[in-house]
Amino acid sequence: SDAGEAADRIDTLLASMPPAAPFGQYWNDQIQRGLDARERVPDLHFLAIRFEDLVSEPMATLAEVSKFFELDPEREGWIERAANLVRGIPPTRRQTLEPAEREALDQSCTAGQARLGRG
């Protein structure tokens, strides 16, 4: 499947231990763009889904998505199939980084963390 192949490519990339800061910068950019866009979206048209919730409660979280988009939750078993794709929170390697690389990662995430009220 395409999803399995993509997951394998990601696993291979992460196993090669690339520098962490570019991933932090990508995350930061996505947070900034998302929060900027959020300011322009009326509450009625917005649903916040946390990754942690999707991982810990995939069926309930996807049911919430289904309700928000007025999708038939029973159609073709999509919620169950999507929930089965959830693989859990990937292991973090932040604590295993050398101090300089950890600092670079932290710096790359500073603005996004601040906007999320996390630091």
Side-chain angles (χ1 to χ4, degrees):
S1 80
D2 289 341
E5 290 172 21
D8 289 343
R9 287 192 302 270
I10 292 169
D11 289 342
T12 299
L13 172 66
L14 294 176
S16 72
M17 304 298 276
F23 291 97
Q25 187 60 54
Y26 175 79
W27 174 86
N28 184 73
D29 292 346
Q30 294 303 303
I31 293 298
Q32 300 285 9
R33 287 184 195 160
L35 291 174
D36 288 347
R38 167 62 184 114
E39 294 171 2
R40 298 184 303 272
V41 176
D43 287 345
L44 178 66
H45 299 287
F46 181 79
L47 174 66
I49 297 295
R50 294 182 52 220
F51 176 73
E52 296 84 354
D53 296 337
L54 179 61
V55 170
S56 66
E57 297 288 335
M59 295 288 287
T61 303
L62 292 169
E64 188 177 350
V65 169
S66 178
K67 182 178 177 183
F68 180 79
F69 285 109
E70 299 177 355
L71 302 173
D72 178 358
E74 303 301 321
R75 184 175 182 201
E76 301 172 6
W78 79 268
I79 290 178
E80 185 173 346
R81 285 183 297 131
N84 287 330
L85 296 174
V86 175
R87 298 182 351 181
I89 294 176
T92 179
R93 63 175 237 217
R94 183 184 179 282
Q95 297 299 20
T96 66
L97 298 174
E98 294 295 324
E101 187 174 6
R102 188 176 321 132
E103 177 64 25
L105 174 61
D106 291 347
Q107 288 298 318
S108 70
C109 297
T110 299
Q113 292 285 16
R115 292 246 347 238
L116 291 172
R118 297 181 183 170

